[in-house]
Amino acid sequence: MTTHDTTRPTDAPASGTAGHRPSPSLATGADLQADIIIVGGGLAGLTLACALGTAGVPCIVIDRDAPDDQLLPDFDGRTTAIAYGSGMVLEGAGIWQHLDGQVGPMLDIRVTDQNSPLFLHYDHREVGDQPFGWIIENRHMRRALFRRLAELAGTVTHLAPMAVTGMVRDGGGVLVTLADGRRVAGRLVVGADGKKSFCRDHAGIRQIGWSYQQHAIVCTLQHEIDHGGVAVELFLPAGPFAMLPLAGGHHTSIVWTERSRMVDFYMNLPEPRFQAELQARVGDWLGRVTPVPGRWSWPLGLSHAERYTDTRLALVSESAHGMHPIAGQGLNVGIRDVAALAEVVVDAIRVGLDPGAADVLERYQRWRRFDTVSLLATTDTLTRLFSNDIAPLAHARRLGMAAIDRLPPLQPMKKLFMRHAMGIVGELPRLVRGEAL
């Protein structure tokens, strides 16, 4: 396999960061070096690389998968809900311009419980003229990220496919060993390497978590009637069934939560029966639906690292936390991690401080913990509240949704929920606010 390696010579000056280099003890004999080493080339890791590169901070991304493989239609098949605030991060990192219109705006969100006539309706016009967010196929977002990395080749080095086999971290810096024997020196290593994070395990950081005994079945539908930018979350006894509007109007991404014991049955259904199951859940609001070839399934659970930092290490996105997709916030929380970490790193470097120092990392951890824990608790509560068919609970939750939707005294609460869906509540990093780093 070919390694995509746009390496800057180790003695080349870094724009705006002169003098920030690992200690001689770790840098001696290193084949590559940069201020920041990012382990993991998923959506969060690459977004961080683009954000830092846009601000002129030299970084190296170590990505286990080949870029060409990641662009294949069957690589993972998932789509991502990008909240409005996360879209601002993509814009500020120079990524958005490469999406080539492959985004479907969410203009309305409708939440309903089984066949109840009572529902909760969010209209984006109630809080402004911007959509709540956008739905993007992961492969299109990856393509945009790779294009932006190519533009940042003088500042960002992308090593792919490549694995990490060892790491040393001390007060002076970081030294990462690669599968091909090369050594990479830096000031800070970022673990963006997912649920089974090597970086988190290397630091001995424990996780808490549990399985929901559910899987998400993911596929795409083609349909007769234009979706009009409407996203629907239909709560069923086995879990939520989400319909997410893709670009163009006549394709919708499905995230179907099902009990784990039933997943193999649905995944192996013949196409006509699978189509019938989908049509029964979608209803007739999109007309006749036809599944696009390709089905994927993923186990669902909650996970949370006991801390997000260690000596010269910061964890972001699924390396630090994982949540149920019930509110579509998983990657959005990760992107807010990225925006906050990029900000504290850039601010430290600009005033001549060490970006891997303990006080810099503690600022990042304090900033992100409350938002993350709050969303973990919210998604866990919603999952348990709605993934059942207990009559008293069903009655109470339907009345609650109707009250929030229609009662005037509760409209401020409804607008707050809408702003939460947009990812623009709380202490926001500059990138989320639409400001440059």
Side-chain angles (χ1 to χ4, degrees):
M1 292 186 289
T2 301
T3 298
H4 296 253
D5 186 346
T6 52
T7 303
R8 182 170 47 82
T10 56
D11 58 352
S15 173
T17 61
H20 291 282
R21 288 292 175 265
S23 65
S25 62
L26 287 182
T28 301
D31 301 283
L32 306 169
Q33 58 178 288
D35 286 321
I36 314 298
I37 303 169
I38 302 170
V39 179
L43 302 184
L46 295 184
T47 299
L48 176 61
C50 292
L52 291 173
T54 299
V57 176
C59 55
I60 293 173
V61 187
I62 304 165
D63 190 346
R64 69 182 181 186
D65 296 307
D68 290 346
D69 292 346
Q70 295 181 57
L71 297 178
L72 296 175
D74 60 353
F75 181 75
D76 84 15
R78 289 177 293 181
T79 58
T80 294
I82 297 294
Y84 174 79
S86 297
M88 294 301 97
V89 177
L90 300 185
E91 176 74 28
I95 300 162
W96 190 267
Q97 64 186 341
H98 296 294
L99 286 170
D100 298 332
Q102 298 288 344
V103 293
M106 289 188 291
L107 304 178
D108 293 79
I109 300 174
R110 298 175 187 173
V111 183
T112 184
D113 191 357
Q114 300 183 51
N115 296 317
S116 171
L118 304 176
F119 59 89
L120 179 60
H121 176 216
Y122 294 161
D123 184 332
H124 75 288
R125 292 171 295 185
E126 295 181 48
V127 288
D129 58 0
Q130 298 294 335
F132 290 112
W134 300 267
I135 305 300
I136 304 172
E137 290 185 56
N138 285 7
R139 63 192 176 102
H140 294 314
M141 188 165 169
R142 287 191 181 96
R143 182 176 291 109
L145 287 162
F146 294 148
R147 289 174 177 173
R148 180 57 178 154
L149 288 178
E151 294 175 343
L152 297 169
T155 307
V156 179
T157 299
H158 185 205
L159 303 179
M162 186 55 61
V164 172
T165 58
M167 186 185 303
V168 176
R169 296 174 291 112
D170 65 21
V174 179
L175 189 66
V176 172
T177 303
L178 304 178
D180 63 3
R182 286 183 293 175
R183 296 188 298 171
V184 183
R187 302 282 277 182
L188 170 68
V189 62
V190 178
D193 48 345
K195 295 178 181 179
K196 298 179 180 180
S197 170
F198 170 88
C199 294
R200 186 186 63 239
D201 291 346
H202 183 270
I205 299 175
R206 295 182 300 172
Q207 279 197 113
I208 62 167
W210 47 81
S211 168
Y212 290 114
Q213 302 301 313
Q214 296 174 326
H215 274 61
I217 300 172
V218 178
C219 63
T220 298
L221 299 181
Q222 184 174 359
H223 41 82
E224 294 176 318
I225 301 173
D226 193 309
H227 54 55
V230 176
V232 175
E233 184 122 48
L234 171 64
F235 289 112
L236 298 173
F241 184 93
M243 297 165 252
L244 307 173
L246 292 169
H250 289 273
H251 287 83
T252 290
S253 174
I254 298 297
V255 182
W256 168 3
T257 300
E258 187 52 70
R259 297 180 182 94
S260 294
R261 67 177 183 269
M262 295 296 297
V263 167
D264 286 345
F265 171 78
Y266 288 115
M267 288 294 290
N268 293 314
L269 280 178
E271 200 68 15
R273 288 192 60 191
F274 188 65
Q275 178 180 357
E277 292 285 348
L278 288 167
Q279 187 76 68
R281 288 163 174 77
V282 172
D284 59 4
W285 75 283
L286 293 173
R288 179 178 171 80
V289 303
T290 304
V292 173
R295 308 174 201 174
W296 296 263
S297 70
W298 307 88
L300 301 178
L302 179 147
S303 62
H304 188 232
E306 64 177 359
R307 63 183 190 277
Y308 304 164
T309 64
D310 198 72
T311 302
R312 296 198 175 274
L313 169 68
L315 303 177
V316 299
S317 197
E318 289 193 329
S319 298
H321 45 73
M323 61 188 64
H324 198 285
I326 192 168
Q329 290 299 310
L331 181 62
N332 292 299
V333 180
I335 289 178
R336 291 200 290 278
D337 291 346
V338 163
L341 182 60
E343 185 167 321
V344 300
V345 164
V346 168
D347 286 352
I349 289 175
R350 282 181 177 154
V351 296
L353 300 178
D354 181 349
D359 56 343
V360 174
L361 299 183
E362 180 57 26
R363 181 188 169 204
Y364 162 70
Q365 178 167 251
R366 286 198 311 268
W367 194 351
R368 293 303 306 139
R369 182 170 286 276
F370 179 78
D371 179 34
T372 303
V373 171
S374 298
L375 271 169
L376 285 168
T378 299
T379 57
D380 185 63
T381 300
L382 289 173
T383 299
R384 297 177 188 279
L385 177 63
F386 283 95
S387 297
N388 63 73
D389 201 21
I390 302 171
L393 271 180
H395 183 65
R397 66 197 181 214
R398 292 166 187 173
L399 289 177
M401 286 193 294
I404 293 171
D405 191 61
R406 301 176 187 180
L407 293 182
L410 297 181
Q411 293 313 291
M413 180 186 296
K414 180 180 177 181
K415 289 184 178 180
L416 178 63
F417 289 163
M418 287 191 276
R419 290 177 63 81
H420 268 292
M422 298 176 75
I424 51 174
V425 173
E427 185 185 356
L428 302 177
R430 290 194 292 269
L431 284 173
V432 178
R433 299 198 304 265
E435 301 172 11
L437 278 176

